[in-house]
Amino acid sequence: MSWNLPFSRALSRFLGGYALLHLLIVAVFLFVITGWLRGQMLDQTRQRMQEVCRAIREHVLSQPQGLYQPELLPHIRRLAQDTGIRITLIADDGVVVADSETGRADIGDHGTRPEVLLAKNEDFGFNERVSATLQKRMMYFAMRLSAEPSPNNGFVRVAMDAEPIYASIAALQRFLWMFAIGLGLVAGGLMIVFVSREMRPLPMFVEAARNIAAGQYRPVPMMTRGNEWRSLSESFAQMQQELVRRESSLRENSLRLEAVLGTMIEGVIAIDQHKHVVLANQAACRMLGLPQPEMVGRSLFEVLRFPQLQEAFETAIATGQAASAEFLTRGPRRRTLNVRATQLSPHTEFGAAAVLYDVTELRQLETMRRDFVANVSHELKTPLASIKAYAETLQLGAINDKENNLEFVRQIESQADLLNRQIRDLIQLSRVESGQTEFDIRVVDLSRLVLDCRNRFAAEARQRNVSIDIHELPDELLVRTDRDAIQTVLDNLLSNAIRYTKPDGVVRVTAEKNGRDAKICVHDNGIGIAPDDQQRIFERFYRVDKARSRDVGGTGLGLAIVKHTLSALGGQIEVESRMGQGSQFTVTLPAD
């Protein structure tokens, strides 16, 4: 029979305790019973000796001659031989009258013996001692023959060897001890058999508990014997089912939480009371530029080296109130993050949680709005200032200056046209961005639009000594789009190319079908655009060379209108440029 270690320890402790208790009870029992048996055996011996003494006293008192009758010695010898007891008759003065072993020979004064002295005072006496003559332990019992004084009065004393009696007592004690030990062994063996039989299912429950602790829910055999084991197996099965249900529910909640946190745009970070990161979703790791495994489990101050974020967490934990902060991340793509930290419930193991918002685009839009307002004010103010200046000059008398008055009027008209174009472009850009422009979507031939655009700007190109090259234009390139909107896009691109191309330069326009898309490329060999400016040329009023832009008469809104118009039509625009070598703008539209 084999048990698992915890079960064998429990059983050995139980059996050890039972054995100790059993031995204690047996020892007490044997101590009491052996003492009682010893007393009973000694009492029986004394009673036997007393009966012998009483029989001799009756015999002596029944004879007229008393102690000195001739037949007394043979009589006591026969009685001593029958009972195995030594009999001695002692006169009142202590002299031995007769003895069953030595006859009447004077064997000394026996009047001073302890048992005889007791008999003198109390009619009988008992004493146990080692005999000086026999050198062994003896029992003595003495009895007065008569209470009345007379010449024949004396004492009868009997003596017995005490060693056989005590040997019998020791043998009986050994028998009792052996019987008790044997009975204990039998009871212990029966106890082991009974306990092992009753406790046999326990290792299965121990193994099942270990499996549960390891997360393995294996079925427990149902016990059919014993109400307790059957109830325990049923309760264990119910516990397993409940644990499986709860673990499944926790797993579902965890997966649901991970799914929610994983799909959130906002970043979420939670720390415990020791300021170690216990949760960080993918958005937070992406915003902070850290891998998710690197954050969880580590100290907040070790992983996140952003003082504003750390201060927000500390303020939330210290005050129990929400704390906000805003900071810039590090790296090539710096992002502006807004953080709001809140202390969690004090009954949880977490200290605080923070939600990170990526406000980079918002801050860029705010910057663009401020720049837009400033640029609009500046761009509108410039032609208005020129108009006002020329008008005041005319009012001060220049109107009578026949050589210059017409030039002043033409400048006023030119600045008014520029102002009108700026306002018109602003209105058009606003409508496109807000989605208020209604497009007339139909099949349009891009090749035809490119040729029409070339014809419209041919005169301006000749005036600036720039040639327009229509290269490999397909006979027919059909797209579903708004004709006027695409015409505006082409006009702006071709106009910019002509204006920013040096004299004797060439503007090349190509169109082709590339898979399911139609592409139009406008390439010039002008001044080019710096890499830092290429990302901003589609912003409102942004000019690469502001001085040259004013000379060529641009409003600064053309490329912004192009980008937003193409976005509204499902197209896109890209730019490639090198300083001093020219630029290429590529328009992509879905082909019909």
Side-chain angles (χ1 to χ4, degrees), residues 86 101 130-138 140 159 161 163:
R86 180 180 179 179
E101 291 185 1
V130 177
S131 173
T133 57
L134 300 178
Q135 295 299 319
K136 59 182 179 180
R137 193 173 186 179
M138 299 292 291
Y140 299 95
D161 190 354
E163 292 181 356

Side-chain angles (χ1 to χ4, degrees), residues 46-56 141 143:
R46 284 194 294 268
Q47 185 176 2
R48 181 184 174 191
M49 296 173 71
Q50 186 177 2
E51 289 176 353
V52 171
C53 290
R54 187 178 290 111
I56 294 175
F141 188 89
M143 179 180 291

Side-chain angles (χ1 to χ4, degrees), residues 5 21 57 95 192 241 352 380 407 539-540 565:
L5 184 59
L21 182 62
R57 186 179 64 176
V95 177
I192 292 176
Q241 295 175 0
L380 296 180
E407 179 63 25
E539 297 178 7
R540 306 170 185 87
T565 301

